[in-house]
Structures are given as C-alpha cells and as structure tokens.
Amino acid sequence: MRTVAVTRIGSLRDPDENTRGRIGVVDFPEQPLGPEDVRIRVAYSAICGSDPHLAEGFFGTDVPIGLGHELSGVIEALGERATRNGLKVGDRVAGNFLRFCGTCRPCQEGRQQFCENIQDYNRPGMAETVTWHESQVYRLPDDVTLLQGSILEPTSVAVRIADKARARVGDRVAICGGGPIGQLTLQVMKMNGATSLTMIEPIAERREMALRHGADFVIDPVTDDQAALAAEITDGRGYDVVIDASGSPRAVRGLLDIAAKGATVVYGAMYPENYELPLNLSDYLYLKELTLTGIFVSPYAFPRALQILPYLQLDELTEAVYDLEDAVEAFAVHVSGRFPKVVLRCNDIDDEGGIS
C-alpha cells in the first residue's frame, strides 16, 4: 500500500540538501481489518501544519514515519461488528484520526484528549487506504463533497478552540495566524457572534482571505503598530478573547498585551518543544486576571464540526490539489506558503463513490 512518509528526519525548510528532512512515497503493509473496524479507500488527505514538525522528529525519529490525518474517502470494507453507527460499504466518510478507548481513567472522567491508549489507531492517512475503528468514522452530509470532507479534522480543531475560548455573543475577538486553522476559527467565531473580529497576519493574501470570510479588521504585525490598532478597534478595552493559531514564538508574546482585563487567551497551535513564553505573573495573571489555555486534540468536537461543515467557505482551502505520486512537490508547495492549504488526491474517487 502506497503511503506518504517522512524518510529522513530534518527541517523541510533547511537550505542544506544534506540535512534537510525528506518526504517520500513508500510501501506500508495494509492495516488488518478487526471486527469493529472500517477500511476506507482514501479520496483526499490534506497536509497539516503539524506534518513538517513530524519531519523534524517532534513525535519520534524512527523512519519511515507515515503521515496524514485530515482525510476523506469511501468505505470499502467493514468488520463483522462494525454496524452500530449504520455505516455501509460505499458510504462517503471522514473522521477522527484518534480512537479514544473509553475505558482508561481519563476517558471515564470525560477527558478523552488524555486517553492513555490514544495511539492505538493513529494510522497514516496519506495512503491508498486507512483502517479505523468505527467510532472514528463519520458519514459526510450529502451537500459536502469528498474534497471538502478532508477539512473535517481541522474544522474540529476550530470547534475545540471555540470551546476553550468560551466566547459569549458580542465578545471582541482577535485571531493571530491566517493559516487554515486561523481561517476556520475565524469563521467559527463569526458564527458564535464575535464582534470586532480581527485577523493578525503578515501575509497580505491571507489578510484579504480573512476579510472575505468575515473578519471586521485585519492587522499586519510587521508594518502596523499592533497594540495601537488593537486599542483603536476595541475602544481601548482590548479583546475579550485572543486566539493564537500561528505557533510562532515571535507572535505569541504580544498577544497578552492586546487582551482585555479578564480575557481568555487560547494558544491553539503546536509550538517548538524548547520555547518558553516569558510571562510576568503580576501583570497578566494578577492585575489583568487573564485565563491562559491551550488545546491538544479535539475531543467531543467532531459531531459539531460535521454539522457546520456545509456552512463554511472552504473553496480557498481546497484549491491546491496534488496526486499522491506528487507528494514531494505538494510538501514543497506547502512549505512555500503559496496556498493556505494543500491537499493530496490519494485515489480518483467521484462523489458518488465510484473509483476511476
């Protein structure tokens, strides 16, 4: 089974070819189909911003490391007991790349994100097929294409960020980082009644995209006086909710300064392992009473992400599509930032479930 994988550990942005990380298409064995499992013929698998971190060895260095967790496809086989969700062969589906076991103490306590067996079904989805437990699989609505369905997982992250933000209708909201998670979070926060909705993003095309998708204001953190503009937008009060979707150490520190007293600040990205945020406890936690939080994965978010998927503007996140065989080029385009999102076509499947 052809699978996209990290074949050499290293930064994909390293200018030195000898030490740069490498992506390749390799053969992996097909996963076994257990009695409660679902085998999916993958249609599309999108590149996540975390994938280059995997190439750097963030979660381990034994290569090849299979990639891909944002995917859609068509069910081609079911285990004999994979029937509780009413799934059928031929269904168009997407899903959660993680299986929460439901039996460990964190799962029993309602904290699935800390499931002690979370890696059991974490299988590479940039592949011809993937086999998941039936609890991970969701049938796509009729008005969502397979290509759009590959955005279900990042949409679940946006929903989870909204959960952690606890925004009220009318709250002033700022989002830093106009990549896919930032853009999706912007749309979700707009649905939640955000006001003074502001995107902070250095790339002009992504600021313009944010304006098309509901932002009231945009800030260029490179050329604009971010603090002054934020004060002007919020009448000097600051933002009630501030969300980082950039993962950039250069960006995150200044977000505390634009937060209102009593605000919630959500760090909703993956950060370098060795980065430590300078934090003056007196200024930010004592005098401003800020609530600082983050997210790891997206428990309890997928059903709601599925519900809102038909209402999201996804065309600009699905315009760059490459075939599985062109994965090396696709990753190079992803790293270049030319498109906000890059998607791999793993099999040529139409939206009636037919495979060419």
Side-chain angles (χ1 to χ4, degrees):
M1 178 182 70
R2 293 178 304 159
T3 304
V4 178
V6 177
T7 58
R8 184 169 69 192
I9 295 295
S11 171
L12 299 182
R13 295 175 172 84
D14 191 334
D16 186 346
E17 168 63 26
N18 295 315
T19 54
R20 187 184 310 150
R22 185 174 295 163
I23 302 295
V25 180
V26 300
D27 283 327
F28 270 23
E30 192 167 63
Q31 297 117 9
L33 183 73
E36 297 179 353
D37 290 344
V38 178
R39 178 166 296 136
I40 300 165
R41 177 66 54 176
V42 180
Y44 296 98
S45 187
I47 299 176
C48 174
S50 67
D51 288 324
H53 292 296
L54 297 181
E56 294 164 7
F58 195 95
F59 290 116
T61 58
D62 292 336
V63 296
I65 302 169
L67 297 174
H69 59 272
E70 304 177 4
L71 64 91
S72 65
V74 173
I75 294 176
E76 68 173 22
L78 294 166
E80 63 267 25
R81 294 205 303 272
T83 57
R84 285 171 287 193
N85 283 338
L87 297 171
K88 306 184 301 296
V89 170
D91 281 348
R92 301 176 319 114
V93 296
N96 185 353
F97 68 104
L98 297 173
R99 179 195 177 188
F100 304 122
C101 74
T103 57
C104 69
R105 182 58 65 86
C107 281
Q108 291 178 337
E109 293 174 344
R111 299 181 299 147
Q112 288 182 333
Q113 66 270 35
F114 305 125
C115 175
E116 294 170 357
N117 304 297
I118 204 168
Q119 296 297 331
D120 284 359
Y121 273 71
N122 186 0
R123 296 166 170 178
M126 287 181 190
E128 292 174 311
T129 67
V130 68
T131 301
W132 281 343
H133 188 264
E134 66 169 335
S135 63
Q136 298 171 258
V137 182
Y138 297 87
R139 187 186 294 107
L140 290 173
D142 292 340
D143 52 353
V144 172
T145 67
L146 283 165
L147 182 54
Q148 293 166 336
S150 67
I151 309 299
L152 176 63
E153 194 280 338
T155 299
S156 79
V157 175
V159 170
R160 172 74 166 150
I161 288 172
D163 288 349
K164 296 300 291 287
R166 292 184 165 183
R168 301 164 302 174
V169 172
D171 275 351
R172 300 175 179 91
V173 177
I175 299 167
C176 179
I181 297 301
Q183 299 287 349
L184 289 167
T185 301
L186 179 97
Q187 294 189 52
V188 170
M189 298 310 292
K190 191 74 171 181
M191 289 179 177
N192 277 5
T195 62
S196 300
L197 186 54
T198 304
M199 174 63 76
I200 303 168
E201 166 57 49
I203 300 174
E205 291 81 4
R206 297 189 180 187
R207 293 196 301 272
E208 293 162 5
M209 180 178 173
L211 289 169
R212 288 192 294 271
H213 292 175
D216 300 308
F217 304 95
V218 293
I219 295 175
D220 180 348
V222 176
T223 62
D224 294 335
D225 184 330
Q226 178 172 299
L229 270 179
E232 179 182 334
I233 292 166
T234 63
D235 295 324
R237 297 178 181 276
Y239 293 96
D240 305 297
V241 173
V242 179
I243 297 164
D244 179 65
S246 73
S248 168
R250 290 178 296 178
V252 294
R253 169 61 180 78
L255 299 181
L256 299 175
D257 295 320
I258 66 173
K261 291 180 179 179
T264 297
V265 181
V266 182
Y267 294 100
M270 180 183 286
Y271 301 92
E273 286 181 283
N274 58 356
Y275 174 66
E276 296 183 4
L277 175 69
L279 181 65
N280 185 303
L281 297 179
S282 178
D283 286 349
Y284 298 115
L285 299 191
Y286 175 56
L287 293 175
K288 291 184 78 171
E289 286 195 12
L290 298 183
T291 297
L292 276 56
T293 187
I295 69 161
F296 173 43
V297 292
S298 307
Y300 314 108
F302 277 82
R304 288 172 291 139
L306 195 69
Q307 285 294 109
I308 67 170
L309 206 56
Y311 299 94
L312 297 176
Q313 301 177 64
L314 301 175
D315 288 350
E316 292 183 77
L317 294 175
T318 54
E319 63 177 322
V321 180
Y322 291 79
D323 288 328
L324 184 69
E325 294 80 4
D326 300 322
V328 174
E329 181 185 356
F331 269 83
V333 171
H334 168 82
V335 169
S336 76
R338 204 166 92 214
F339 295 95
K341 191 81 170 165
V342 178
V343 182
L344 288 172
R345 182 189 295 109
C346 298
N347 290 281
D348 193 3
I349 305 176
D350 61 39
D351 273 296
E352 281 69 50
I355 300 174
S356 302

